[in-house]
Amino acid sequence: MIDKELVKKNRNNADFWPSVNQRVAHEPLTWIEISKSALHHNISNYRSLIKPGVLFVPVIKSNAYGHGMLAVGSILQDHPGVDGAAVVAISEGIALRENGFGKKIIVLGIIDAGLQEVVRHNLELVVYDQEVIDQLNEIAKKLDSRARIHIKIDTGLSRLGFFTNEAFETIKAAFNLPHVEIIGISTHFANSESDEDSFVNLQLSRFNELINKLRLEKITIPLQHATCTAALGAYENAHGSLVRFGIGLYGLWPSNENRQAVMEKMPNFSLIPVLKWKTRIIQLKTLPAGSFVGYDLTHQVQQETKIAVLPVGYWDGLDRRLSNKGSVIIRDTIVPMIGRIAMNLCMIDVSGVPGVCIDDEVILIGEHEMVSADAIAGHTGTINYEIVTRINPLVTRIVV
């Protein structure tokens, strides 16, 4: 049993720590904090943009964009303003169901488990292949049930989906299958994050033209959905009867252009980042002037420098391109990362942090603009989506 008061008194005593390193078995040295209140804030703000009766379905695919699918799913299950959740693969839908998620689950198209699981777990599968529709009809027949599907339309993204010119006949045929229920029709915009709207309008016109053509054949599909986070804020005419709500759920903007477009319409609109990534110092040392730091000798200190070693590296999802570029926050002070980020470790310069101790908490990603997902994306030449989704799913997630 560790005497925590003794640990606190001896944090700066290097000789003391080898005997208490067993603490790592009880406390994670790096973890993700998920803010329940920030999630609620973001849901409320985006929910206010849609008309009553339009279904509101957050996207929690790919481990909830790195935030933790089961943790986020449990919060959505209890939120009265949320009508369901969207995931990318059947296996994710199964995991949600088996962990108590009882609302609508839309699987956005990756078939990584048997199609019978779609029916057994009451999942709604987005389909883009006639053979899959036929198979679902046969499976549902054997199970004395009906498979609920959404038809995916490729209106210009050139990704998954039926082309509009082939979708009409496919839907007509599927509409008459006894064990398949078409409850949705969907498409996805190619550049709704941009401030240029001509291609969005082209895609939307193609989508609506198909829906109107089906109506003339007395085929009415209850749920029409094209809207992602960016379109939700910028294109009210695209809301349909269901909106899919992705990156904004996590308090991140799809792009600067989209942020400007939304803020021009609604100056009081705001998002709060949901995720904080934290770690702790595991060693402190003072380097003499001229010392090199890390692999490949990419950083050399010019004067006596106090550094801290952190138990986080690119295995955990800390991008190696942050070497000698990134920043962290410790004791409310912004400090630089120095040297190469390694697989499991990285170093920071804490010379300017008074009283710094072993086991001090360090913020790797947070709300501050210097350590935000957007800032890190800028350093590494990517987008905020990638920064959060690439955090290793084995890193502990905690709802706070």
Side-chain angles (χ1 to χ4, degrees):
M1 192 73 173
I2 299 172
D3 185 334
K4 291 188 176 181
E5 287 302 311
L6 187 63
V7 169
K8 192 179 295 183
K9 291 176 184 177
N10 286 275
R11 277 181 169 171
N12 291 316
N13 183 347
D15 292 332
F16 177 78
W17 279 105
S19 65
V20 296
N21 276 338
Q22 59 182 298
R23 78 192 193 289
V24 300
H26 304 285
E27 300 176 10
L29 286 179
T30 183
W31 68 98
I32 303 293
E33 292 180 357
I34 303 301
S35 170
K36 185 175 181 179
S37 63
L39 268 172
H40 282 199
H41 172 90
N42 300 332
I43 290 169
S44 297
N45 270 14
Y46 273 110
R47 179 87 207 193
S48 70
L49 303 183
I50 64 174
K51 295 176 182 177
V54 175
L55 298 187
F56 192 72
V57 179
V59 180
I60 57 173
K61 66 177 183 176
S62 305
N63 204 30
Y65 292 43
H67 292 65
M69 185 182 73
L70 298 181
V72 173
S74 68
I75 296 171
L76 300 185
Q77 171 66 27
D78 296 333
H79 196 293
V82 170
D83 298 297
V87 295
V88 75
I90 294 174
S91 61
E92 292 179 342
I94 294 170
L96 270 184
R97 279 283 184 255
E98 291 181 344
N99 282 273
F101 192 85
K103 296 180 178 180
K104 173 189 290 288
I105 298 177
I106 301 174
V107 177
L108 296 174
I110 292 182
I111 299 171
D112 63 347
L115 286 173
Q116 68 274 10
E117 302 304 326
V118 173
V119 182
R120 287 173 176 162
H121 289 88
N122 190 25
L123 308 178
E124 300 175 10
L125 181 64
V126 175
V127 298
Y128 45 88
D129 185 282
Q130 180 65 58
E131 185 178 346
V132 170
I133 298 173
D134 294 336
Q135 288 175 1
L136 281 170
N137 185 58
E138 291 302 313
I139 288 168
K141 179 181 179 180
K142 292 177 181 177
L143 295 173
D144 192 24
S145 184
R146 297 185 83 192
R148 296 157 65 84
I149 66 171
H150 299 242
I151 305 290
K152 182 65 172 286
I153 310 300
D154 181 358
T155 57
L157 182 57
S158 300
R159 235 171 43 175
L160 295 178
F162 295 100
F163 290 120
T164 52
N165 60 358
E166 64 181 348
F168 180 70
E169 294 300 330
T170 299
I171 293 171
K172 279 181 64 177
F175 191 73
N176 294 315
L177 292 174
H179 295 280
V180 168
E181 181 181 3
I182 305 175
I183 62 168
I185 183 169
S186 70
T187 194
H188 197 53
F189 294 127
N191 71 332
S192 57
E193 296 85 358
S194 168
D195 56 6
E196 205 291 307
D197 61 6
S198 62
F199 200 76
V200 170
N201 290 329
L202 174 62
Q203 286 189 264
L204 192 58
S205 68
R206 289 171 174 170
F207 189 55
N208 288 333
E209 183 180 343
L210 174 61
I211 291 171
N212 291 332
K213 188 176 178 181
L214 290 166
R215 283 176 179 154
L216 292 175
E217 295 288 322
K218 309 297 187 203
I219 298 174
T220 301
I221 300 175
L223 301 177
Q224 305 98 41
H225 48 109
T227 299
C228 55
T229 295
L232 201 167
Y235 296 95
E236 185 178 348
N237 61 331
H239 287 182
S241 51
L242 180 151
V243 296
R244 305 185 306 266
F245 169 53
I247 195 72
L249 174 68
Y250 310 104
L252 302 175
W253 289 94
S255 67
N256 286 329
E257 293 91 342
N258 184 252
R259 179 176 186 169
Q260 291 168 5
V262 174
M263 296 302 290
E264 284 176 8
K265 293 180 181 179
M266 297 159 286
N268 294 324
F269 192 91
S270 66
L271 295 178
I272 301 175
V274 169
L275 177 150
K276 287 184 179 177
W277 186 5
K278 296 182 177 180
T279 188
R280 297 186 186 279
I281 293 173
I282 60 171
Q283 187 173 22
L284 288 166
K285 58 176 60 177
T286 300
L287 304 181
S291 298
F292 289 98
V293 180
Y295 288 128
D296 303 324
L297 312 182
T298 62
H299 185 86
Q300 185 178 28
V301 300
Q302 302 304 307
Q303 58 192 17
E304 186 176 88
T305 301
K306 190 170 190 176
I307 71 165
V309 182
L310 308 179
V312 178
Y314 54 79
W315 152 252
D316 304 281
L318 191 64
D319 199 304
R320 191 169 178 268
R321 289 169 293 183
L322 290 172
S323 301
N324 296 306
K325 291 182 181 178
S327 300
V328 302
I329 294 178
I330 180 169
R331 296 194 173 212
D332 297 319
T333 304
I334 299 166
V335 303
M337 293 180 176
I338 57 174
R340 284 264 194 256
I341 291 171
M343 189 179 295
N344 310 106
L345 300 168
C346 65
M347 285 70 71
I348 58 175
D349 183 343
V350 293
S351 301
V353 184
V356 63
C357 296
I358 286 176
D359 216 33
D360 270 356
E361 190 174 279
V362 178
I363 299 175
L364 301 168
I365 298 180
E367 290 182 47
H368 192 286
E369 62 180 8
M370 291 294 288
V371 296
S372 67
D374 290 298
I376 296 170
H379 285 312
T380 56
T382 185
I383 54 177
N384 54 20
Y385 297 70
E386 184 177 2
I387 298 305
V388 290
T389 57
R390 290 186 66 187
I391 300 173
N392 192 318
L394 297 179
V395 174
T396 300
R397 269 75 171 170
I398 302 168
V399 175
V400 298

